[in-house]
Amino acid sequence: TLKLTSILLFEVSMEGSYNISLVSLSYLVAILASYCALYFGTQLTRVEGNKRRIWLILGSLSMGLGIWSMHFIGMGAYQMNMPMTYDLTMTVVSWIAAVLASGLALFLISKSVAGVGVLILGSLVMGLGIAVMHYLGMAAMRITPSVSYDPFWFTVSIFIAVGASGAALAICRYTQRLVGRQAVGFQGIAALVMGAAICGMHYTGMVAVIYPQGAMPAMSNQLTGSAIGTPIILASVLFIVFSLLAVYSDIKARNNEEEWNRQEAERVKKMAFVDEATGLPNRSRLEHHLLESLVETGGAASPFTLVMLEMSNYRELSAGMNSETLYQRLHTLSEQIQKLIPAGVYLARYSNATFGLVIHDAIDSTAVNQTFGALSKAPTALKVTGWTVNWKAGFSRFPQTGHSSRMLIREALKTAPLAELSNDKAPAMESGVQMLIN
């Protein structure tokens, strides 16, 4: 009777099952822990001095707490007949091991120069850190007789931790060169991989555990029931809130960075090809347009005319004028020129005093004649308050004048006063163009 009672009281079946909800929660915690680690690891490459140390400490604590919480949530998910209790000292030691391993891995992966050797070392540190934390956490159970481990599954659990950690750290290293939403996406992938490493190691390690029959937890274990459950719940909630804030901050910063880069690229592009004062295409864009026109024509029957419209007294007009007033007057003048010339004529500002016009007339010379007819009225039509502009103009024509943009520009810069083109005199320039066309 005594033997039977002893068996009923102490011999428990070690066959357990898992609570799927808690297993899912453990994976979520592992993913968030991984994302936080990757987030802080990325930040470490951008800061120096005390700020770098602060980010490293926060990242280590975050990652360590995440791994530790995941482990004990996973242990709580395993339901068996024996109550689970833990030794306080070993439980704290397991958390310290997770924090130190996380810190060392983050330090290695955040180095400005990190080759394959550093990546392998970081993978070993992170993977073995996860494994050490797990098996220290298992040792914290302190049951009698002690548990043992199946060598095969024990080894598999180590390889899973190291291999998946290496993959996640490699992705993390790659994302350090990315910006915006692309970086967020890759960090999310890395977090999923790292989370799989943590959970894969834990649950493979649980498969490796061999519980002896009749095992019972040590009576001296301080953490029992709510004494371990409540701190884990509080730590997990605190960690999840903290990690979600980090994720939100990271995504917001990435989006802001991407938007800033887009705006900066547009600004640089605008500076490279747009005149600041008038908003017209600048010299570089005009030359590029001429090259495009030459490539398109390829020497075939697609002629165009280049006109240079010059303000011969620009230096006198702009002398002593502040930039804001000068820009306003030039902008007004460019709008008037745009309205004066026929639609479809390409207008650019070639230099401070010169506007360039490209007239494409693949079918006939109507556009050329209309443009020169309009320009002959420029001295009276183009009026800006406080300015009396003396206009000069010159032209060249492809292919008659030349077959290169440099030759066409050089010839068109040989300008003559527009004042010579009056209503009661022969329009010399227009006639000259007409001669070239014919």
Side-chain angles (χ1 to χ4, degrees):
T1 303
L2 182 61
K3 183 177 181 181
L4 179 61
T5 303
S6 176
I7 293 174
L8 290 174
L9 289 176
F10 300 108
E11 186 171 320
V12 296
S13 173
M14 293 302 144
E15 294 294 329
S17 60
Y18 282 100
N19 182 312
I20 299 302
S21 298
L22 289 178
V23 171
S24 301
L25 178 60
S26 70
Y27 182 49
L28 173 62
V29 169
I31 292 172
L32 291 174
S34 303
Y35 195 100
C36 281
L38 298 173
Y39 168 68
F40 287 115
T42 301
Q43 299 302 314
L44 285 172
T45 62
R46 304 177 180 180
V47 294
E48 298 291 341
N50 290 332
K51 193 171 184 180
R52 177 181 171 85
R53 284 188 283 273
I54 291 173
W55 280 112
L56 180 60
I57 292 171
L58 289 175
S60 305
L61 291 173
S62 173
M63 183 68 179
L65 180 60
I67 296 173
W68 186 85
S69 299
M70 179 273 143
H71 171 83
F72 285 100
I73 291 173
M75 292 301 294
Y78 189 65
Q79 299 171 340
M80 59 182 184
N81 294 334
M82 183 185 74
M84 287 189 180
T85 62
Y86 302 92
D87 176 71
L88 176 61
T89 302
M90 288 298 296
T91 301
V92 173
V93 168
S94 68
W95 174 75
I96 293 174
V99 171
L100 292 177
S102 300
L104 184 53
L106 288 177
F107 173 76
L108 291 172
I109 201 63
S110 66
K111 293 176 69 69
S112 57
V113 179
V116 176
V118 173
L119 182 62
I120 293 174
L121 182 59
S123 304
L124 288 171
V125 170
M126 179 63 78
L128 293 177
I130 294 171
V132 168
M133 186 274 131
H134 171 81
Y135 289 110
L136 284 176
M138 292 296 297
M141 292 179 64
R142 292 185 58 203
I143 63 176
T144 305
S146 300
V147 299
S148 58
Y149 295 97
D150 180 271
F152 173 77
W153 287 111
F154 179 85
T155 305
V156 169
S157 70
I158 302 297
F159 273 104
I160 289 176
V162 174
S165 295
L169 292 178
I171 297 172
C172 173
R173 189 66 186 174
Y174 176 73
T175 60
Q176 291 173 357
R177 302 192 298 268
L178 303 178
V179 297
R181 295 179 179 86
Q182 189 179 25
V184 172
F186 273 94
Q187 280 189 188
I189 294 172
L192 291 173
V193 174
M194 182 72 84
I198 298 170
C199 283
M201 187 278 134
H202 173 85
Y203 290 109
T204 305
M206 290 297 291
V207 173
V209 178
I210 300 173
Y211 290 98
Q213 289 294 322
M216 291 294 293
M219 298 297 292
S220 60
N221 286 350
Q222 298 96 328
L223 301 177
T224 60
S226 61
I228 182 64
T230 301
I232 291 175
I233 292 174
L234 291 176
S236 300
V237 170
L238 178 64
F239 167 74
I240 290 174
V241 171
F242 178 76
S243 59
L244 287 176
L245 288 174
V247 170
Y248 170 77
S249 299
D250 185 35
I251 293 175
K252 184 178 180 180
R254 294 288 189 177
N255 289 338
N256 290 340
E257 183 181 24
E258 185 177 49
E259 179 63 20
W260 185 88
N261 287 337
R262 184 187 65 79
Q263 293 177 358
E264 184 66 11
E266 290 180 356
R267 187 184 69 83
V268 172
K269 183 179 179 180
K270 186 175 181 180
M271 289 177 62
F273 294 109
V274 178
D275 178 64
E276 186 178 2
T278 63
L280 294 173
N282 62 10
R283 176 174 180 162
S284 297
R285 190 66 188 90
L286 174 61
E287 292 174 345
H288 187 70
H289 181 79
L290 290 174
L291 290 172
E292 288 179 335
S293 301
L294 291 169
V295 170
E296 289 177 3
T297 58
S302 298
F304 62 87
T305 302
L306 171 65
V307 179
M308 290 296 186
L309 185 62
E310 179 188 356
M311 304 165 62
S312 60
N313 60 337
Y314 173 81
R315 183 173 295 180
E316 292 80 5
L317 294 174
S318 61
M321 188 173 294
N322 62 59
S323 298
E324 184 177 356
T325 303
L326 179 62
Y327 282 14
Q328 288 177 351
R329 294 190 179 184
L330 287 170
H331 186 74
T332 300
L333 195 60
S334 67
E335 288 181 335
Q336 292 181 6
I337 296 173
Q338 192 78 68
K339 292 177 181 178
L340 184 65
I341 61 178
V345 175
Y346 186 88
L347 177 63
R349 191 182 182 206
Y350 181 75
S351 67
N352 287 342
T354 307
F355 294 90
L357 299 86
V358 182
I359 312 161
H360 295 275
D361 55 317
I363 299 175
D364 55 44
S365 61
T366 302
V368 177
N369 293 332
Q370 288 179 348
T371 302
F372 278 98
L375 291 181
S376 66
K377 304 173 184 177
T380 56
L382 302 177
K383 296 291 185 181
V384 177
T385 303
W387 272 7
T388 301
V389 181
N390 296 329
W391 292 102
K392 297 173 71 176
F395 67 91
S396 60
R397 185 167 177 79
F398 174 82
Q400 290 87 341
T401 303
H403 290 79
S404 71
S405 59
R406 181 176 298 179
M407 187 178 295
L408 292 169
I409 291 172
R410 185 171 63 243
E411 188 65 27
L413 286 173
K414 298 176 182 179
T415 58
L418 265 179
E420 295 177 1
L421 301 177
S422 58
N423 291 331
D424 56 349
K425 296 180 181 179
M429 186 180 295
E430 187 176 348
S431 299
V433 174
Q434 194 63 46
M435 289 174 62
L436 280 177
I437 292 174
N438 296 331

